[in-house]
Amino acid sequence: MILDHTSVEASQQQGPDAWHLRVGHDICGDVQQALNHEWLVTNGLGGYAAGSICGATTRSYHGLLVAALQPPVARTVFVSKVDEEITLPGGEVLKLGVNEYHDKVVDPQGYQYLQEVVLDGDVPCFRYRLTEQLELVKRVWMEYGQNTTYIQYTLEGAGDEIADENLTLTLVPFCLSRDYHASTQGADDWHFIVDSQHNRCRIRAYNEAPVYHLIAGPSAFFSPTGLWYWRVLHRRESERGMLDQEDVYQPGIFRMPITTGMRVTFVLSAEQNLPSDLGGPRHEELVTAALVRHQRRVRQLLSVAERTMDNLEERDPVLARLVVAADQFIVARPNYAQAKASRQPLRLAPDRKTIIAGYPWFTDWGRDSMISLPGLLLATGRYSEARGLLKAFVSYTHEGLIPNRFPDQGEHPEYNTIDATLWMFHALGLYLQATDDWSLLKELFPVLQEIVVRHEQGTLFNIGMDATDGLLHGGTDGVQLTWMDAKVDGWVVTPRRGKPVEINALWYAALTKMEAWAVRLSTDASHYSQLRTLVRQHFARRFWYAEGGYLYDVVDVDGNAGQTDASLRPNQLFAVSLCRDLLSGGQCASILQQVEQHLLTPLGLRSLSPTDPAYHQHFSGNRWQRDSAYHQGTVWQWLLGPFIDVHLRVHKDRDQLRTLLLTALDQLWQNCLGTISEVAEPEPPYAVGGCVAQAWSVAEFLRCWLLLQEK
């Protein structure tokens, strides 16, 4: 059964198998709509394959083989796309590909043949109508733990008269070799180095470039061409004010016969130790085994997730969809130093996992990882990976802070964050609540103690505690420290220097946990109790904005005692969602009312009230325009999580919140199939934007979906 593009709510009436997503010909056959829908598959390393549903590369980040050469970073685009051509018995050639060029010309126009796209688990399936009786089905998936993509084609037909007809399938790969943030400009005298052998080829763009492989089955034959295709348009980059044209290289074409019922698979890989039988007589047998492995792993993910939910009687299709979406962000960060010292291959293990913040352009960020951990790992029962992730980030602690970001090329981590470390306390608390793994707490507690000391005494970026009120302050010129971290050419858009509201809610929550954990470990808890009490005594007095009926966003702005920022923002929700005793019931209800009135949209919360002079009505344009609006009105989807927490605490009305979440979940097929984007426009029709797949968006939707199923 299929979850099509009518309503998520309908899926709950369709039984336990109704978790596939379908986009029909009304969208696939309309090139403008098809170009606005995307798909994504990942490999657990940070690598991925992605594109528009009709095949055109609408982003420079799109590619069928985007390999993470130093997992989870050093992402490199090797194969941007593959176009297909079918030669019918009479000689007619059907071109199934779609390319858009700089002059807006679309050629070929294969979208006319595309009948539907179905997301089966995380495998996109594309169905092309060739004749009244013949259809070609294409499936794309990646090998988990490898930079390898499989593209499998199956010819389906009905009627005895066509059973023995031979068709020819021609595959036209377009190749690159560049960082995924970059773009390629070709040259007439630049030809990739191609070493071909009958049905396979070994490619590199130049002598020092990484090598990758294109491998077809034994019935295929490779014919070299060595052509450049000039000025391919990436329309999404045009909208973002980025470089939007690229030249792509065609090393050659693969031709192979195909008959009804027959499967042929094209393998793209940056791995250097591929099975020797790939491309040989056992080619399809090996590919079939790879698909079986992939499908088995998805079933295991669902099974593990379902075992954590006591009240789940049968498969919930929405939950299943979100569990599969969650898996795309959980990737390996191998121990390179250990592998180098031992001269052993890299080991991908549960204790070396991290979380990609978003596809296609983010890597792993400390803040995003800690906010996402409860939804992506705890709600799905992946406790060993949660444990490993917490240990890994703690191991990177520097002067009381965990990393904000790991750069793309593996440089030293960056620590410009005031909240990632505090979110780690929250994530650890939920992990311990789910697992009773007190041995981990005992192991980490000395570092946690040192973190508190560093925050008390002061650490990097002027982060430290004010001894008079117990509140945390932070901020230096030119540095962004909170999650509202947009920065353009040295300009920090929302500096929030001083004492931000959510930082102090997190600080109070961390002190509360440290007090309880110290008691658990039979350690003196009095100091944490004193600090917690000091914060509690001053929090409401310092942050409550009586005239507005909500909390100031920042107090002691820029270090000026008594100066306040009364911007109405969603950050104040964390003072209610994370803490039970900082505010009165009346204050909590008033905050919720103000947030609901000014910030709530169908897809998430605005980052600033529309009544504020600094409010931006649109999140669009070039980088400067987008970053200027990023936290000045733009809707953030992950913020539905704390809103639901607070609303449930104040009103205890699950039905209303389910309706809200179901509406937001409708986007599962409206942008990138099967996942949730980063942000949305703050005004109707609330078009989604930013990263097409965002970890904390999926995490909070998943966490809240489960929360709202509880009786």
Side-chain angles (χ1 to χ4, degrees), residues 81-154:
K81 66 185 306 252
V82 174
D83 281 356
E84 299 85 14
E85 298 178 0
I86 288 285
T87 304
L88 300 176
E92 181 183 3
V93 177
L94 308 181
K95 297 184 176 182
L96 308 184
V98 176
N99 294 300
E100 185 174 21
Y101 292 92
H102 66 99
D103 53 3
K104 302 298 179 68
V105 169
V106 175
D107 180 69
Q109 299 179 356
Y111 60 87
Q112 300 174 83
Y113 304 101
L114 185 59
Q115 297 301 300
E116 67 175 14
V117 178
V118 175
L119 193 60
D120 180 4
D122 65 342
V123 177
C125 306
F126 308 82
R127 183 174 295 273
Y128 296 89
R129 176 71 56 80
L130 307 179
T131 68
E132 289 187 2
Q133 296 175 310
L134 287 175
E135 292 185 335
L136 185 72
V137 178
K138 175 173 70 174
R139 291 176 172 83
V140 181
W141 75 97
M142 298 190 80
E143 184 81 38
Y144 185 76
Q146 291 187 19
N147 289 306
T148 299
T149 303
Y150 300 95
I151 313 170
Q152 185 179 79
Y153 302 90
T154 305

Side-chain angles (χ1 to χ4, degrees), residues 16-127:
D17 297 322
W19 67 293
H20 305 311
L21 298 180
R22 174 184 177 274
V23 176
H25 185 64
D26 57 331
I27 291 176
C28 296
D30 180 332
V31 67
Q32 297 305 321
Q33 291 200 66
L35 289 169
N36 288 334
H37 286 70
E38 302 178 49
W39 59 271
L40 168 74
V41 298
T42 62
N43 66 353
L45 298 177
Y48 64 87
S52 69
I53 62 171
C54 64
T57 52
T58 59
R59 300 181 186 273
S60 60
Y61 296 94
H62 280 164
L64 283 171
L65 179 60
V66 183
L69 297 183
Q70 187 173 337
V73 293
R75 292 181 184 145
T76 304
V77 183
F78 286 126
V79 182
S80 65
K81 66 185 306 252
V82 174
D83 281 356
E84 299 85 14
E85 298 178 0
I86 288 285
T87 304
L88 300 176
E92 181 183 3
V93 177
L94 308 181
K95 297 184 176 182
L96 308 184
V98 176
N99 294 300
E100 185 174 21
Y101 292 92
H102 66 99
D103 53 3
K104 302 298 179 68
V105 169
V106 175
D107 180 69
Q109 299 179 356
Y111 60 87
Q112 300 174 83
Y113 304 101
L114 185 59
Q115 297 301 300
E116 67 175 14
V117 178
V118 175
L119 193 60
D120 180 4
D122 65 342
V123 177
C125 306
F126 308 82
R127 183 174 295 273

Side-chain angles (χ1 to χ4, degrees), residues 667-683:
Q667 70 186 282
L668 283 168
W669 51 83
Q670 292 174 357
N671 188 31
C672 186
L673 300 183
T675 191
I676 308 296
S677 67
E678 179 186 17
V679 297
E681 290 281 348
E683 300 294 333

Side-chain angles (χ1 to χ4, degrees), residues 504-515:
N504 282 285
L506 284 161
W507 173 235
Y508 181 77
L511 293 172
T512 302
K513 290 178 177 61
M514 286 297 288
E515 181 182 0

